[in-house]
Amino acid sequence: MLEGRAASTGVRRRAAETAGAEESSAPSRWGLGLFDVVLIGFFLTLAFLLGVFELKDTDFYWHLRTGDLIRRFGQIPRVDFYTFTRAGTPWIDLHWIFQVGISWIFEHGGVPALTLAKCIITCLALLLLITARRSNWPVWAMILGWLPALLVLSGRMYIRPETLTLLYLSIFLAVLCRLDRRPGLAWLLPPTQVAWVNSHGLFILGPIVLGFALIDAALRRGALTAARRKWWTTVAAAAAATGLACLINPYGFRGAIYPLELAGTMNSPDFSKTIAELKSIPDFIAESGFTNVPLHIHFATILIGALSFVVPILAAGASRVRGMAGKADASLALDPPARGKKTKGKPGKPASSSRKKAAEIAGDEPEEGGWRISVLRLLLFAAFSLLSFRATRNSHQFATVVGTVTAWNFAEWVGSLTAKRHAQGAATPHEGLRPRVLTLVALIGLIFAVASGAMYAWMGEGRVIGWGEQPLWFPHESAKFAGEAGMPDRFVSFHNGHASLFIYEHSPEKPGGPGKTVFTDARLEVTGAELYRRYLDLKDWITKDDPRWQRELDGQGRPSILTDHEFNSEVGAHILSSGRWRCVRFDAISAVFVHESYRDVVATHEVDFAARHFRPDPSVEPQGTAALISASKGLRNYAAFLGYTGRLDLSRTLTSLAFDYARRVVENDPASLEGWKSIGYCLLLRDANAPSARCLAPFDPVMDLSSFRATYAVRRAAMIAPGDFLTLALLKGIYENREMYEPLRPVFERILAHSPINPEQKKLYKEVETLMPEFVRRLSAPVPTSWNNLDELDRLVNNELTNGRIETAVRLLESANPPGKASWDAVDRLSTLLLHLGEPERARKHLQAVTDAPRPALRDARLAVCDLVEGRYAEARQAYLRAIQAEPNLFEAHYGLAVLEQDDGRAPEAFQQATAAANCAANDAARSAAQAIAAAVRRFAD
């Protein structure tokens, strides 16, 4: 009796303790729930911020134009009317809901409103996914599981139809997460599928994902029992309706099977090899290596997704092993009478009740086994990971699905562990606070990284936070100009995406109506593999000077041509050098060409590049630093390719203008990397001398002046950005061409410290890697420290220069010739070597210290070189004029001043000095160089 009372009292006490624990933990659970809401808010803030970047997608404008036309005429396109090559062929435009939407938003708020809408839709989709969970799955685990995928997703948060695919796919996944318990939700899928099939060609993903869920349901234990019949009736009917919903589009069955047609078209190797977003990941790695940070994040997302399956399995296995070992130990500890004694009740009942109670406290029903492998999740993970390998453009859908699967797996596992701790009474009132705090810290850190731009710098992207278009990316003005009155009715662009701008500005005012049309555009499903091959052949023929390109364009009716500077300067340079096509517009982004038969257009608009340098027109001048840099890059790229075609006259003209723009940049901002780099690049293009060990020869202004200036400019760029790959490549070329191997070694070391990110960098890296051992061996000889006389010193210096050790030679000469105590010959040689190294300030120091120069005019001319190398034109001009006044026939001074005045846009002065230099030149090479300057400026000298 006493035992019974004691037992009853114990039960009541435990019940009271449990009730008290639940009551005391309620405020704690409420607080943690509020914390979860905060975490979701920060997660969505991060996602929103990742979507706030400037518009750069050129496909946008043909979508916008189509939406405008649909809204105006109420007709959805059925045949193509944008191109003259494919006019009248079927066009299945399943994007019409997206196009109408962006047309309306753009009309009311422009690109900023579209960026805002994109971010809101993305956040809504992510909210659906992050809340698609069981109530005992912790939010912090969902968020941490999602973060890597969110970074992948951000790479393609464009104003594109795939943004709506993200929303529809999220609805499907959110419904499938709850489908077991709420089968009625399946009826949300048919209307979602109707919207999807009329928004994007990837609507097929809906039925595929739903099919995976049905396979998972069919493979579960007891799937076909009578108890599940009602579930199957509801879900199967909804699934059938979802499949039939694919037919509800303007094209019926043809629209429903459109993804199959699209897949067949996209299988063309021409697409995958030449369009970045269609490259497979293996092809991307083979071409650019495995050094791309976004690629690392992509693989990390796959790895973490795989671990979300593996870790719970291994943990469950380890737990079972420990449990079996514990049972064995308990069995051995029992005495024989205890083992044989019968007990009332069923073994394990209390533990089962405890688990049930813990699950009820968590707000969910207990699940058998806690965590199980889901066939649905396995199929989703495998299918979308494989899809991502097919083309980089699939990263958006990959991130959506794999991020969700990873979050589900980890959250369910952590939830089962937490439930187990509750069942064992090991949980604390503040269970889960620490991981929530750590998740919040991670989210805040990422938000600051994105807001500051550090994230994009680390990822190697040129993305900038902003609401509008990316500046200097869309050639709107050139596209408008190319379709003005008097211009051809047909248009070709080399950047294929820029055809969208022409379509937006000049396409037919209504479907099938008259208007200006393009050769091809970015709608690859309309273009087709055959026409795209013609487009690539045309581009290839132009760059190879194959006469077929002229015949092809004649056959097309001699359309206007637009080339961008970023990717197609080579095409533009060859068109410019052809003689039959004229450049009628050249701005910071692009160039427009027409055939010479358009005489009125040519007479009115043909670009005179030399006049832009000597007689600048404010109406066509680049405005602002960014435009000046962009225009300088474009011009120098044209000049480089024109040099390859043999048009050195035109190349020099464009180089002068490019140099002029770059010089204006560094005048406004002496710390401009792009400014100094462009100056150096232009001067190297001007230095057309064959490679030679010039440091062994006396100074020659014709041979050395451009090289001195280029070396200084590129060294300035290297000081501003020591790791800039193009700067290092330019320095490598300068030092190699002049056989200056000693300063080349640190350049090689910097290059090898980099990870190449494109084929050109990869090629340079391998070249340097091959050459480095030979340079180390060549430069490892002992450095001489003493000599008996000046003749021996001279031999030592020559030997060092022959071996490319110019810096060692300079140190030997400086040690023997301190400033103020050296002869003119020694200073002349030393200052020339320092100028070869791009160090005019050190050269000036030695020249100014000379007290007994036999020819003061020559010293002034060398001081002028130091000033000119540094870009100090006024000081250099004065020094040259002093030298000419002292020695009127000093070629070096006349020639240097002619170069200075030409670069400064002072044609009369440049012509005068070039003529004087030609008259006092000592040899034919010097005379020809001076005459070339005179000829270049003669037209503007009056």
Side-chain angles (χ1 to χ4, degrees), residues 719-747:
M719 285 187 282
I720 295 167
D724 184 74
F725 210 95
L726 178 57
T727 301
L728 295 175
L730 292 175
L731 273 179
K732 172 183 175 293
I734 290 170
Y735 293 147
E736 273 187 332
N737 285 344
R738 301 219 155 199
E739 299 182 15
M740 297 160 56
Y741 302 132
E742 199 168 28
L744 189 58
R745 180 173 176 174
V747 174

PDB file of all heavy atoms in Angstrom, residues 719-747:
ATOM      1  N   MET A 719      52.137  49.843 -59.857  1.00  0.00           N
ATOM      2  CA  MET A 719      52.214  50.331 -58.481  1.00  0.00           C
ATOM      3  C   MET A 719      50.810  50.549 -57.904  1.00  0.00           C
ATOM      4  O   MET A 719      50.576  50.343 -56.718  1.00  0.00           O
ATOM      5  CB  MET A 719      53.023  51.626 -58.423  1.00  0.00           C
ATOM      6  CG  MET A 719      54.526  51.404 -58.575  1.00  0.00           C
ATOM      7  SD  MET A 719      55.492  52.912 -58.294  1.00  0.00           S
ATOM      8  CE  MET A 719      55.248  53.772 -59.829  1.00  0.00           C
ATOM      9  N   ILE A 720      49.878  50.953 -58.758  1.00  0.00           N
ATOM     10  CA  ILE A 720      48.500  51.170 -58.306  1.00  0.00           C
ATOM     11  C   ILE A 720      47.807  49.841 -58.035  1.00  0.00           C
ATOM     12  O   ILE A 720      47.085  49.683 -57.052  1.00  0.00           O
ATOM     13  CB  ILE A 720      47.726  51.988 -59.360  1.00  0.00           C
ATOM     14  CG1 ILE A 720      48.336  53.396 -59.478  1.00  0.00           C
ATOM     15  CG2 ILE A 720      46.241  52.063 -59.008  1.00  0.00           C
ATOM     16  CD1 ILE A 720      47.865  54.175 -60.688  1.00  0.00           C
ATOM     17  N   ALA A 721      48.027  48.862 -58.926  1.00  0.00           N
ATOM     18  CA  ALA A 721      47.383  47.539 -58.787  1.00  0.00           C
ATOM     19  C   ALA A 721      48.410  46.464 -59.114  1.00  0.00           C
ATOM     20  O   ALA A 721      48.497  46.018 -60.261  1.00  0.00           O
ATOM     21  CB  ALA A 721      46.170  47.436 -59.701  1.00  0.00           C
ATOM     22  N   PRO A 722      49.191  46.049 -58.137  1.00  0.00           N
ATOM     23  CA  PRO A 722      50.278  45.091 -58.400  1.00  0.00           C
ATOM     24  C   PRO A 722      49.810  43.755 -58.954  1.00  0.00           C
ATOM     25  O   PRO A 722      50.592  43.063 -59.599  1.00  0.00           O
ATOM     26  CB  PRO A 722      50.914  44.898 -57.011  1.00  0.00           C
ATOM     27  CG  PRO A 722      50.517  46.096 -56.228  1.00  0.00           C
ATOM     28  CD  PRO A 722      49.175  46.486 -56.727  1.00  0.00           C
ATOM     29  N   GLY A 723      48.549  43.415 -58.746  1.00  0.00           N
ATOM     30  CA  GLY A 723      48.073  42.111 -59.202  1.00  0.00           C
ATOM     31  C   GLY A 723      47.283  42.144 -60.488  1.00  0.00           C
ATOM     32  O   GLY A 723      46.752  41.108 -60.904  1.00  0.00           O
ATOM     33  N   ASP A 724      47.186  43.302 -61.140  1.00  0.00           N
ATOM     34  CA  ASP A 724      46.406  43.382 -62.372  1.00  0.00           C
ATOM     35  C   ASP A 724      47.085  42.579 -63.472  1.00  0.00           C
ATOM     36  O   ASP A 724      48.235  42.836 -63.834  1.00  0.00           O
ATOM     37  CB  ASP A 724      46.253  44.840 -62.800  1.00  0.00           C
ATOM     38  CG  ASP A 724      45.380  44.997 -64.024  1.00  0.00           C
ATOM     39  OD1 ASP A 724      44.158  44.858 -63.894  1.00  0.00           O
ATOM     40  OD2 ASP A 724      45.935  45.231 -65.122  1.00  0.00           O
ATOM     41  N   PHE A 725      46.349  41.623 -64.031  1.00  0.00           N
ATOM     42  CA  PHE A 725      46.965  40.660 -64.943  1.00  0.00           C
ATOM     43  C   PHE A 725      47.401  41.313 -66.249  1.00  0.00           C
ATOM     44  O   PHE A 725      48.486  41.018 -66.768  1.00  0.00           O
ATOM     45  CB  PHE A 725      45.991  39.504 -65.225  1.00  0.00           C
ATOM     46  CG  PHE A 725      46.679  38.200 -65.497  1.00  0.00           C
ATOM     47  CD1 PHE A 725      46.877  37.278 -64.482  1.00  0.00           C
ATOM     48  CD2 PHE A 725      47.157  37.894 -66.763  1.00  0.00           C
ATOM     49  CE1 PHE A 725      47.514  36.079 -64.722  1.00  0.00           C
ATOM     50  CE2 PHE A 725      47.795  36.698 -67.011  1.00  0.00           C
ATOM     51  CZ  PHE A 725      47.980  35.785 -65.993  1.00  0.00           C
ATOM     52  N   LEU A 726      46.575  42.190 -66.814  1.00  0.00           N
ATOM     53  CA  LEU A 726      46.959  42.834 -68.069  1.00  0.00           C
ATOM     54  C   LEU A 726      48.189  43.703 -67.888  1.00  0.00           C
ATOM     55  O   LEU A 726      49.078  43.737 -68.752  1.00  0.00           O
ATOM     56  CB  LEU A 726      45.795  43.671 -68.608  1.00  0.00           C
ATOM     57  CG  LEU A 726      46.084  44.449 -69.902  1.00  0.00           C
ATOM     58  CD1 LEU A 726      46.532  43.521 -71.013  1.00  0.00           C
ATOM     59  CD2 LEU A 726      44.865  45.261 -70.339  1.00  0.00           C
ATOM     60  N   THR A 727      48.282  44.400 -66.767  1.00  0.00           N
ATOM     61  CA  THR A 727      49.464  45.217 -66.498  1.00  0.00           C
ATOM     62  C   THR A 727      50.711  44.345 -66.455  1.00  0.00           C
ATOM     63  O   THR A 727      51.755  44.698 -67.031  1.00  0.00           O
ATOM     64  CB  THR A 727      49.296  45.967 -65.170  1.00  0.00           C
ATOM     65  OG1 THR A 727      48.132  46.795 -65.244  1.00  0.00           O
ATOM     66  CG2 THR A 727      50.504  46.830 -64.871  1.00  0.00           C
ATOM     67  N   LEU A 728      50.619  43.215 -65.781  1.00  0.00           N
ATOM     68  CA  LEU A 728      51.757  42.304 -65.718  1.00  0.00           C
ATOM     69  C   LEU A 728      52.112  41.767 -67.099  1.00  0.00           C
ATOM     70  O   LEU A 728      53.297  41.629 -67.438  1.00  0.00           O
ATOM     71  CB  LEU A 728      51.440  41.145 -64.773  1.00  0.00           C
ATOM     72  CG  LEU A 728      51.242  41.522 -63.294  1.00  0.00           C
ATOM     73  CD1 LEU A 728      50.804  40.311 -62.493  1.00  0.00           C
ATOM     74  CD2 LEU A 728      52.532  42.098 -62.715  1.00  0.00           C
ATOM     75  N   ALA A 729      51.110  41.499 -67.910  1.00  0.00           N
ATOM     76  CA  ALA A 729      51.375  41.017 -69.272  1.00  0.00           C
ATOM     77  C   ALA A 729      52.081  42.091 -70.094  1.00  0.00           C
ATOM     78  O   ALA A 729      52.996  41.790 -70.876  1.00  0.00           O
ATOM     79  CB  ALA A 729      50.071  40.597 -69.945  1.00  0.00           C
ATOM     80  N   LEU A 730      51.682  43.357 -69.923  1.00  0.00           N
ATOM     81  CA  LEU A 730      52.339  44.448 -70.651  1.00  0.00           C
ATOM     82  C   LEU A 730      53.785  44.613 -70.195  1.00  0.00           C
ATOM     83  O   LEU A 730      54.696  44.809 -71.023  1.00  0.00           O
ATOM     84  CB  LEU A 730      51.560  45.752 -70.439  1.00  0.00           C
ATOM     85  CG  LEU A 730      50.160  45.825 -71.069  1.00  0.00           C
ATOM     86  CD1 LEU A 730      49.477  47.123 -70.661  1.00  0.00           C
ATOM     87  CD2 LEU A 730      50.239  45.713 -72.585  1.00  0.00           C
ATOM     88  N   LEU A 731      54.003  44.564 -68.870  1.00  0.00           N
ATOM     89  CA  LEU A 731      55.382  44.665 -68.373  1.00  0.00           C
ATOM     90  C   LEU A 731      56.241  43.523 -68.897  1.00  0.00           C
ATOM     91  O   LEU A 731      57.406  43.720 -69.262  1.00  0.00           O
ATOM     92  CB  LEU A 731      55.384  44.650 -66.842  1.00  0.00           C
ATOM     93  CG  LEU A 731      55.218  45.987 -66.119  1.00  0.00           C
ATOM     94  CD1 LEU A 731      55.218  45.773 -64.618  1.00  0.00           C
ATOM     95  CD2 LEU A 731      56.309  46.967 -66.519  1.00  0.00           C
ATOM     96  N   LYS A 732      55.687  42.347 -68.930  1.00  0.00           N
ATOM     97  CA  LYS A 732      56.414  41.194 -69.464  1.00  0.00           C
ATOM     98  C   LYS A 732      56.851  41.460 -70.901  1.00  0.00           C
ATOM     99  O   LYS A 732      58.011  41.228 -71.280  1.00  0.00           O
ATOM    100  CB  LYS A 732      55.535  39.946 -69.409  1.00  0.00           C
ATOM    101  CG  LYS A 732      56.121  38.716 -70.108  1.00  0.00           C
ATOM    102  CD  LYS A 732      55.147  37.562 -70.055  1.00  0.00           C
ATOM    103  CE  LYS A 732      55.674  36.359 -70.858  1.00  0.00           C
ATOM    104  NZ  LYS A 732      55.743  36.617 -72.300  1.00  0.00           N
ATOM    105  N   GLY A 733      55.932  41.980 -71.712  1.00  0.00           N
ATOM    106  CA  GLY A 733      56.275  42.264 -73.104  1.00  0.00           C
ATOM    107  C   GLY A 733      57.348  43.329 -73.238  1.00  0.00           C
ATOM    108  O   GLY A 733      58.265  43.204 -74.059  1.00  0.00           O
ATOM    109  N   ILE A 734      57.259  44.375 -72.424  1.00  0.00           N
ATOM    110  CA  ILE A 734      58.257  45.455 -72.483  1.00  0.00           C
ATOM    111  C   ILE A 734      59.640  44.933 -72.159  1.00  0.00           C
ATOM    112  O   ILE A 734      60.613  45.162 -72.894  1.00  0.00           O
ATOM    113  CB  ILE A 734      57.860  46.580 -71.502  1.00  0.00           C
ATOM    114  CG1 ILE A 734      56.622  47.314 -72.004  1.00  0.00           C
ATOM    115  CG2 ILE A 734      59.028  47.557 -71.307  1.00  0.00           C
ATOM    116  CD1 ILE A 734      56.037  48.281 -70.982  1.00  0.00           C
ATOM    117  N   TYR A 735      59.762  44.222 -71.038  1.00  0.00           N
ATOM    118  CA  TYR A 735      61.080  43.754 -70.603  1.00  0.00           C
ATOM    119  C   TYR A 735      61.632  42.666 -71.530  1.00  0.00           C
ATOM    120  O   TYR A 735      62.837  42.634 -71.799  1.00  0.00           O
ATOM    121  CB  TYR A 735      60.990  43.229 -69.170  1.00  0.00           C
ATOM    122  CG  TYR A 735      60.697  44.297 -68.142  1.00  0.00           C
ATOM    123  CD1 TYR A 735      59.931  44.006 -67.012  1.00  0.00           C
ATOM    124  CD2 TYR A 735      61.171  45.599 -68.279  1.00  0.00           C
ATOM    125  CE1 TYR A 735      59.660  44.977 -66.055  1.00  0.00           C
ATOM    126  CE2 TYR A 735      60.896  46.571 -67.342  1.00  0.00           C
ATOM    127  CZ  TYR A 735      60.141  46.262 -66.224  1.00  0.00           C
ATOM    128  OH  TYR A 735      59.879  47.225 -65.298  1.00  0.00           O
ATOM    129  N   GLU A 736      60.767  41.805 -72.009  1.00  0.00           N
ATOM    130  CA  GLU A 736      61.240  40.750 -72.919  1.00  0.00           C
ATOM    131  C   GLU A 736      61.747  41.340 -74.224  1.00  0.00           C
ATOM    132  O   GLU A 736      62.796  40.923 -74.735  1.00  0.00           O
ATOM    133  CB  GLU A 736      60.113  39.752 -73.196  1.00  0.00           C
ATOM    134  CG  GLU A 736      60.014  38.635 -72.191  1.00  0.00           C
ATOM    135  CD  GLU A 736      58.999  37.587 -72.602  1.00  0.00           C
ATOM    136  OE1 GLU A 736      58.041  37.923 -73.312  1.00  0.00           O
ATOM    137  OE2 GLU A 736      59.175  36.425 -72.210  1.00  0.00           O
ATOM    138  N   ASN A 737      60.988  42.279 -74.800  1.00  0.00           N
ATOM    139  CA  ASN A 737      61.376  42.850 -76.090  1.00  0.00           C
ATOM    140  C   ASN A 737      62.709  43.572 -76.012  1.00  0.00           C
ATOM    141  O   ASN A 737      63.434  43.644 -77.007  1.00  0.00           O
ATOM    142  CB  ASN A 737      60.295  43.827 -76.582  1.00  0.00           C
ATOM    143  CG  ASN A 737      59.079  43.097 -77.105  1.00  0.00           C
ATOM    144  OD1 ASN A 737      59.119  41.901 -77.375  1.00  0.00           O
ATOM    145  ND2 ASN A 737      57.970  43.817 -77.254  1.00  0.00           N
ATOM    146  N   ARG A 738      63.059  44.094 -74.843  1.00  0.00           N
ATOM    147  CA  ARG A 738      64.318  44.807 -74.691  1.00  0.00           C
ATOM    148  C   ARG A 738      65.372  43.964 -73.970  1.00  0.00           C
ATOM    149  O   ARG A 738      66.412  44.483 -73.577  1.00  0.00           O
ATOM    150  CB  ARG A 738      64.067  46.123 -73.944  1.00  0.00           C
ATOM    151  CG  ARG A 738      63.062  47.006 -74.695  1.00  0.00           C
ATOM    152  CD  ARG A 738      63.412  48.454 -74.668  1.00  0.00           C
ATOM    153  NE  ARG A 738      62.823  49.139 -75.818  1.00  0.00           N
ATOM    154  CZ  ARG A 738      63.207  50.308 -76.278  1.00  0.00           C
ATOM    155  NH1 ARG A 738      64.203  50.947 -75.698  1.00  0.00           N
ATOM    156  NH2 ARG A 738      62.642  50.859 -77.323  1.00  0.00           N
ATOM    157  N   GLU A 739      65.060  42.682 -73.794  1.00  0.00           N
ATOM    158  CA  GLU A 739      65.994  41.730 -73.177  1.00  0.00           C
ATOM    159  C   GLU A 739      66.475  42.218 -71.816  1.00  0.00           C
ATOM    160  O   GLU A 739      67.654  42.109 -71.471  1.00  0.00           O
ATOM    161  CB  GLU A 739      67.170  41.456 -74.116  1.00  0.00           C
ATOM    162  CG  GLU A 739      66.732  40.839 -75.441  1.00  0.00           C
ATOM    163  CD  GLU A 739      67.896  40.513 -76.358  1.00  0.00           C
ATOM    164  OE1 GLU A 739      69.050  40.484 -75.887  1.00  0.00           O
ATOM    165  OE2 GLU A 739      67.649  40.300 -77.556  1.00  0.00           O
ATOM    166  N   MET A 740      65.517  42.747 -71.033  1.00  0.00           N
ATOM    167  CA  MET A 740      65.808  43.219 -69.674  1.00  0.00           C
ATOM    168  C   MET A 740      65.253  42.164 -68.719  1.00  0.00           C
ATOM    169  O   MET A 740      64.138  42.282 -68.207  1.00  0.00           O
ATOM    170  CB  MET A 740      65.158  44.592 -69.460  1.00  0.00           C
ATOM    171  CG  MET A 740      65.732  45.660 -70.387  1.00  0.00           C
ATOM    172  SD  MET A 740      64.650  47.114 -70.606  1.00  0.00           S
ATOM    173  CE  MET A 740      64.418  47.653 -68.936  1.00  0.00           C
ATOM    174  N   TYR A 741      66.042  41.126 -68.472  1.00  0.00           N
ATOM    175  CA  TYR A 741      65.541  39.943 -67.788  1.00  0.00           C
ATOM    176  C   TYR A 741      65.482  40.099 -66.267  1.00  0.00           C
ATOM    177  O   TYR A 741      64.664  39.469 -65.603  1.00  0.00           O
ATOM    178  CB  TYR A 741      66.399  38.724 -68.148  1.00  0.00           C
ATOM    179  CG  TYR A 741      66.443  38.466 -69.627  1.00  0.00           C
ATOM    180  CD1 TYR A 741      67.652  38.242 -70.292  1.00  0.00           C
ATOM    181  CD2 TYR A 741      65.277  38.447 -70.382  1.00  0.00           C
ATOM    182  CE1 TYR A 741      67.689  38.009 -71.653  1.00  0.00           C
ATOM    183  CE2 TYR A 741      65.308  38.209 -71.750  1.00  0.00           C
ATOM    184  CZ  TYR A 741      66.520  37.996 -72.378  1.00  0.00           C
ATOM    185  OH  TYR A 741      66.546  37.774 -73.735  1.00  0.00           O
ATOM    186  N   GLU A 742      66.331  40.949 -65.733  1.00  0.00           N
ATOM    187  CA  GLU A 742      66.360  41.088 -64.280  1.00  0.00           C
ATOM    188  C   GLU A 742      65.042  41.673 -63.740  1.00  0.00           C
ATOM    189  O   GLU A 742      64.455  41.100 -62.810  1.00  0.00           O
ATOM    190  CB  GLU A 742      67.545  41.945 -63.856  1.00  0.00           C
ATOM    191  CG  GLU A 742      67.915  41.772 -62.399  1.00  0.00           C
ATOM    192  CD  GLU A 742      69.260  42.405 -62.094  1.00  0.00           C
ATOM    193  OE1 GLU A 742      69.652  43.383 -62.781  1.00  0.00           O
ATOM    194  OE2 GLU A 742      69.940  41.922 -61.170  1.00  0.00           O
ATOM    195  N   PRO A 743      64.525  42.771 -64.291  1.00  0.00           N
ATOM    196  CA  PRO A 743      63.224  43.258 -63.791  1.00  0.00           C
ATOM    197  C   PRO A 743      62.062  42.356 -64.212  1.00  0.00           C
ATOM    198  O   PRO A 743      60.957  42.496 -63.680  1.00  0.00           O
ATOM    199  CB  PRO A 743      63.097  44.648 -64.435  1.00  0.00           C
ATOM    200  CG  PRO A 743      63.978  44.607 -65.637  1.00  0.00           C
ATOM    201  CD  PRO A 743      65.112  43.703 -65.284  1.00  0.00           C
ATOM    202  N   LEU A 744      62.346  41.446 -65.155  1.00  0.00           N
ATOM    203  CA  LEU A 744      61.290  40.538 -65.605  1.00  0.00           C
ATOM    204  C   LEU A 744      60.978  39.464 -64.571  1.00  0.00           C
ATOM    205  O   LEU A 744      59.835  38.985 -64.476  1.00  0.00           O
ATOM    206  CB  LEU A 744      61.724  39.891 -66.925  1.00  0.00           C
ATOM    207  CG  LEU A 744      60.698  39.066 -67.691  1.00  0.00           C
ATOM    208  CD1 LEU A 744      59.472  39.904 -68.026  1.00  0.00           C
ATOM    209  CD2 LEU A 744      61.326  38.513 -68.972  1.00  0.00           C
ATOM    210  N   ARG A 745      61.997  39.093 -63.771  1.00  0.00           N
ATOM    211  CA  ARG A 745      61.790  37.997 -62.824  1.00  0.00           C
ATOM    212  C   ARG A 745      60.670  38.279 -61.822  1.00  0.00           C
ATOM    213  O   ARG A 745      59.787  37.422 -61.636  1.00  0.00           O
ATOM    214  CB  ARG A 745      63.091  37.687 -62.105  1.00  0.00           C
ATOM    215  CG  ARG A 745      62.963  36.548 -61.107  1.00  0.00           C
ATOM    216  CD  ARG A 745      64.295  36.144 -60.527  1.00  0.00           C
ATOM    217  NE  ARG A 745      64.135  35.109 -59.509  1.00  0.00           N
ATOM    218  CZ  ARG A 745      65.148  34.489 -58.915  1.00  0.00           C
ATOM    219  NH1 ARG A 745      66.385  34.775 -59.246  1.00  0.00           N
ATOM    220  NH2 ARG A 745      64.912  33.573 -58.002  1.00  0.00           N
ATOM    221  N   PRO A 746      60.622  39.442 -61.159  1.00  0.00           N
ATOM    222  CA  PRO A 746      59.497  39.676 -60.238  1.00  0.00           C
ATOM    223  C   PRO A 746      58.143  39.725 -60.939  1.00  0.00           C
ATOM    224  O   PRO A 746      57.123  39.385 -60.346  1.00  0.00           O
ATOM    225  CB  PRO A 746      59.837  41.025 -59.584  1.00  0.00           C
ATOM    226  CG  PRO A 746      60.875  41.640 -60.440  1.00  0.00           C
ATOM    227  CD  PRO A 746      61.624  40.537 -61.087  1.00  0.00           C
ATOM    228  N   VAL A 747      58.136  40.145 -62.196  1.00  0.00           N
ATOM    229  CA  VAL A 747      56.889  40.124 -62.962  1.00  0.00           C
ATOM    230  C   VAL A 747      56.432  38.684 -63.151  1.00  0.00           C
ATOM    231  O   VAL A 747      55.247  38.354 -62.975  1.00  0.00           O
ATOM    232  CB  VAL A 747      57.072  40.828 -64.322  1.00  0.00           C
ATOM    233  CG1 VAL A 747      55.823  40.684 -65.182  1.00  0.00           C
ATOM    234  CG2 VAL A 747      57.414  42.296 -64.121  1.00  0.00           C
TER     235      VAL A 747
END
